[in-house]
Amino acid sequence: MDLQVLYRQHKITGWVGNRKVTCAGRTVIPDIAFDALKLVVEVDGRKYHSKLEDFERDRQRANWFIADGWRVLQFTPQTIWHDPREVIELTQAALAAAAHQIGQ
């Protein structure tokens, strides 16, 4: 199961997947972005993130988002598959915190 499927199954809305976002003056493509609440969710698995430069780039990207006022959640594919409830609970908590912060 991928993250987009999981969010659809749990009726989590307000997100777009794999679309360009400008943050901290850079254009990046997060896995999921909740634009209105400035929340990004990334899926980081060993298949595409195992080399040192990949690890460094992922930290850099997260820092760009954070510096621009975004919240960042990061999950592994294993967590999505084996503990989807954790993914949903953390996503809902982050969405609620972001909405509260901006007064929605």
Side-chain angles (χ1 to χ4, degrees):
M1 174 181 328
D2 74 16
L3 187 58
Q4 292 184 11
V5 170
L6 183 63
Y7 283 172
R8 286 186 191 107
Q9 286 178 345
H10 289 270
K11 301 190 180 356
I12 293 179
T13 61
W15 56 270
V16 293
N18 302 308
R19 184 182 53 75
K20 291 180 182 178
V21 172
T22 300
C23 68
R26 294 158 176 94
T27 301
V28 293
I29 303 174
D31 295 320
I32 299 281
F34 294 86
D35 291 332
L37 297 175
K38 293 189 89 170
L39 171 67
V40 165
V41 185
E42 297 276 42
V43 180
D44 298 329
R46 290 186 188 269
K47 184 175 182 179
Y48 299 108
H49 304 268
S50 62
K51 297 178 184 167
L52 178 59
E53 57 267 18
D54 298 330
F55 179 83
E56 293 291 332
R57 186 194 71 237
D58 289 343
R59 302 298 76 73
Q60 186 178 46
R61 284 168 48 103
N63 288 339
W64 293 339
F65 279 111
I66 292 166
D68 202 47
W70 291 73
R71 293 170 183 259
V72 178
L73 288 177
Q74 296 171 302
F75 298 111
T76 64
Q78 291 80 7
T79 303
I80 295 167
W81 275 96
H82 299 294
D83 199 358
R85 182 175 58 199
E86 173 82 357
V87 174
I88 294 303
E89 288 174 358
L90 286 171
T91 300
Q92 289 172 331
L95 288 169
H100 177 75
Q101 184 177 7
I102 63 170
Q104 284 191 354

